[in-house]
Amino acid sequence: MKTFLLLFLLLSDCKTAITPTDNTIVYVCESSNGKKYHLNPNCKGLRNCSHRIVKLTLGEAKRRGKTLCHWEK
Ligand SMILES: [Zn+2]
């Protein structure tokens, strides 16, 4: 059972390695100068966010002119 859980965690970790599509949920810091989106809600780029963190689809984030955060490239 423990092995199974570990495997599951490893597999879910790998999700970020999959090429995101426009339907992928991304996280955006809702500040006036927030120009980045994040695939990982625990990204250290988001930790500095003193505003609300909003969930968007990748397609929506791109329409708003957001680019991928430099920690996750
Ligand atoms: Zn990030």
Side-chain angles (χ1 to χ4, degrees), residues 36-40 43-46 68-72:
K36 304 288 180 194
Y37 66 81
H38 307 263
L39 298 171
N40 183 350
C43 173
K44 48 181 159 177
L46 269 177
L68 179 62
C69 126
H70 64 104
W71 297 108
E72 296 172 72

Side-chain angles (χ1 to χ4, degrees), residues 4-62:
F4 177 78
L5 189 65
L6 188 67
L7 192 67
F8 176 76
L9 286 173
L10 285 173
L11 285 174
S12 57
D13 233 23
C14 290
K15 266 188 187 168
T16 50
I18 295 170
T19 309
T21 68
D22 276 2
N23 292 321
T24 304
I25 295 296
V26 298
Y27 303 84
V28 170
C29 181
E30 205 178 47
S31 71
S32 49
N33 55 2
K35 296 267 185 287
K36 304 288 180 194
Y37 66 81
H38 307 263
L39 298 171
N40 183 350
N42 300 314
C43 173
K44 48 181 159 177
L46 269 177
R47 285 195 201 143
N48 300 326
C49 179
S50 53
H51 298 70
R52 208 157 60 99
I53 294 169
V54 289
K55 271 195 218 175
L56 297 175
T57 61
L58 180 52
E60 181 62 26
K62 281 180 181 169

